[in-house]
Amino acid sequence: MTLDISFSKAPLKKVDAAVICFYKGKEPSPPVSSLNYEVKGFIDHVLEKSKSFTGGFGQAELLMLPEDAPYSYVILLGCGDKDEIDNIKAEKLGGKLVAALDGKNIEGFEFFVDNDLIDAGEVAVHIATGAVLRAYKFEQYKSKNEEKDEDELKKKNLAKVHFVLFDTTRAKDLYAKESCVIEGICLARDLVNEPPNALYPDAYAKRIKTHLKPLGVEVEILDEKKMKKLGMGALLAVGQGSDNAPRMVIMRWRGDKPSNDAPLAFVGKGVTFDTGGISLKPGAGMEEMKMDMGGSASVVGLISALAARKAKVNVVGIVGLVENMPSARAYRPADIITSYSGKTIEVLNTDAEGRLVLADALEYVQDVYKPNLVIDLATLTGAIVVALGHEYCGTFVSDETLWGQLEHAGKDTGEALWRMPLDKVWKEEMEGTITDVQNMSKSRAAGSCTAAGFLWHFIEEGTAWAHMDIAGTAWIKKDKDIVPKYGTGFGVRILERFVAQNYEQS
Ligand code: BES
Ligand code: MG
Ligand code: ZN
């Protein structure tokens, strides 16, 4: 984690800057007056003069303080309407604040929380969450000190954020849980940002084990031999063109050991690089296909979050890890393959590989663990990006209650879903002419819906199922308030909340 977060009732005064909040119309939050007193009215003076700062939502004005002041800087943070501050807004504030301080040579700040807010502790925790999520950086491949001039080298990165508020107990309790989720999100982001030559299936599987085992998760890795024996012909076909052999990883978190209920199942597409295979993708932008394991990364991040906070629930996560490469050994269009359950599939396009990987993973998890609920995450179709862009995750759901629960968790976490139609028409469209099913429809229409229709063939009757096509949300090329560009970790937050809200008694 990039930021050290702490809480106390009194200010430390050992950091570079103090953050004080203003509401719309420059209305100061209560802590402003004491700081203003310490700096002999300097803040009042600046506020009066400033034409740009209005207290509008997300404004952050950095002021240098006189030499005898307790901090080098004060940051005026505009919080907008006081009555409108909710958790999502608080996170955005934290994110905007961190973004505004980027490159400003500030190593730490303390944030004076308005204790008059209805739940100041909760607000503080969400500001902290937004700050940490925005401050995330993926820098392990930058060699240190490379071609930086001396001034650049002396610049300090933001590392410490301290909150000053009365109800530190509430804030600390909440943050202890939230930080587990943040870690899961950052883990998912790291995995997505890794290059495909470092994160090929075997390396990925080992990394999952290294990370999750210490958290108490049982991790089982299936290698090619085991998968062959089990008859996972669909996943194996996708992987057969690569020198990097495929893996399947099964993660079990049993936080509710006495329960006999079937576990909740989460399934992730983990194509560590998608060239398209023999149905090769165009070269431009192909490098982005390192994110084609985004679904699996979110499943790993989710299990990590649940295990880290010792969630009282039983879940199983399963990810199919393969590299889709063209080669003399690669599977080809027209090949007929047989999935785990025995269904035959005609391959019409080797670039429609994600659904093949999911077919085996979905069938296997249902066969072995008999879950009542299955949720899969996959960067499955370019068509979902065309339809919904990068703001909404297209979600296909077989069950009304499940949709209600997911939508609710989405609204609470700010990870937005858009319900897509799951219609028998598309399931039928994926039936094969000479096989049971085929991996592409004859028409190009409704590409995300036909992909869901294909997956539906591998869902057992009576299983509540959601398919989240995260092709547009797993990877972004422009910063958002609490999500810096590239791997987003989308899915970890909403599903962690979904589990907490519906499957844990607290
Ligand atoms: N991994 C891609 C989908 C994708 C596209 C993810 C853009 C992220 C951004 C998937 O394997 C794929 O290639 N899908 C094809 C399916 C088609 C051949 C039926 C697509 O969307 O074009
Ligand atoms: Mg593909
Ligand atoms: Zn793919």
Side-chain angles (χ1 to χ4, degrees), residues 181-251:
V181 184
I182 295 172
E183 249 175 71
I185 297 166
C186 293
L187 169 64
R189 288 178 179 177
D190 277 347
L191 292 168
V192 173
N193 290 333
E194 281 287 352
N197 60 336
L199 204 80
Y200 48 88
D202 181 51
Y204 190 2
K206 288 190 173 119
R207 193 151 160 188
I208 294 173
K209 195 163 190 168
T210 311
H211 186 90
L212 294 182
K213 248 191 109 184
L215 294 174
V217 179
E218 297 158 36
V219 181
E220 186 190 359
I221 300 176
L222 306 183
D223 62 12
E224 220 177 353
K225 214 171 117 197
K226 279 196 205 134
M227 285 190 279
K228 262 190 197 139
K229 225 171 139 191
L230 288 166
M232 295 182 172
L235 183 147
L236 288 170
V238 176
Q240 79 191 32
S242 171
D243 281 346
N244 293 311
R247 296 285 184 269
M248 183 170 279
V249 183
I250 299 131
M251 299 153 264

Side-chain angles (χ1 to χ4, degrees), residues 8 10-18 34-35 37-39 68-73 108-112 160 162 164:
S8 73
L12 302 174
K13 298 192 178 173
K14 276 188 194 141
V15 287
D16 303 323
S34 64
L35 188 67
Y37 177 78
E38 282 195 60
V39 295
D68 55 350
Y71 307 94
S72 308
Y73 302 93
F109 62 76
E110 50 194 359
F111 193 113
F112 288 81
K160 189 167 175 43
H162 183 74
V164 183

Side-chain angles (χ1 to χ4, degrees), residues 373-375 397-407 464-466 498 503:
L373 169 82
V374 176
I375 299 181
V397 194
S398 71
D399 179 280
E400 296 307 309
T401 313
L402 175 57
W403 167 247
Q405 294 167 336
L406 285 172
E407 191 183 31
W465 168 56
F498 161 79
Y503 292 94

Side-chain angles (χ1 to χ4, degrees), residues 49-94:
K49 297 257 158 173
S50 168
K51 293 199 173 69
S52 56
F53 187 77
T54 62
F57 186 80
Q59 279 190 321
E61 200 133 311
L62 182 68
L63 305 175
M64 207 179 283
L65 286 175
E67 200 153 1
D68 55 350
Y71 307 94
S72 308
Y73 302 93
V74 66
I75 297 149
L76 316 180
L77 182 67
C79 299
D81 236 311
K82 181 166 178 164
D83 306 330
E84 284 179 9
I85 295 184
D86 56 15
N87 292 346
I88 304 250
K89 282 237 165 98
E91 285 171 12
K92 282 185 194 281
L93 277 179

